[in-house]
Amino acid sequence: MWADAAALDAAARRVDDWEAAFADRARRTRSLTSRIQALTGTARSPDRMVEATVDSSGQLVALRLDERTRQHSATHTSEQIVATARAACADLLRQITEATRETLGDDPAGAAIVESYQRRAHPEPGGTGAAR
């Protein structure tokens, strides 16, 4: 099957290179997963009366309201909360994008990861997602 030992050695080197590349990609992906799980997104409203923090899945985990919110209508305050939570999700997405590019570079898997988070942050009408 193999014409000579050199061809067999070259084929073995290619297989070893592929194996090393797959192992490196798996290591980088595990590293990225750990990094993303530790991320949170935070934002403040322009008037600094509302601060929202979301976890790595985009779920609201902390909300701080300044006492000055009592001077506004419930409608105004609720709109500020929703807008600030969305801004926190955008902050999270920015961090995930940055971490993914730093860890995986231009790897198509990295682009798919970022796209997945983008879909969750901006769901289709009638769909479900972290930030609605």
Side-chain angles (χ1 to χ4, degrees), residues 14-106:
R14 280 195 303 275
V15 169
D16 289 344
D17 290 346
W18 288 337
E19 183 179 6
F22 288 133
D24 180 58
R25 177 184 261 179
R27 179 193 55 75
R28 289 184 294 137
T29 301
R30 282 191 302 275
S31 172
L32 177 61
T33 298
S34 295
R35 206 169 156 188
I36 287 174
Q37 288 175 342
L39 293 176
T40 60
T42 300
R44 289 183 186 86
S45 61
D47 59 10
R48 305 187 73 71
M49 285 197 283
V50 176
E51 179 178 287
T53 300
V54 296
D55 66 11
S56 63
S57 66
Q59 296 298 309
L60 185 65
V61 294
L63 179 65
R64 187 193 62 73
L65 302 175
D66 188 278
E67 288 299 319
R68 294 177 294 152
T69 59
R70 293 174 188 239
Q71 299 168 1
H72 296 277
S73 70
T75 300
H76 173 79
T77 301
S78 67
E79 289 170 351
Q80 290 289 75
I81 290 169
V82 169
T84 305
R86 284 187 178 142
C89 286
D91 178 56
L92 174 66
L93 181 58
R94 179 194 56 75
Q95 291 179 64
I96 289 170
T97 301
E98 183 178 298
T100 302
R101 286 190 181 132
E102 287 173 2
T103 306
L104 300 180
D106 290 332

Side-chain angles (χ1 to χ4, degrees), residues 122-128:
H122 306 290
E124 296 294 319
T128 61

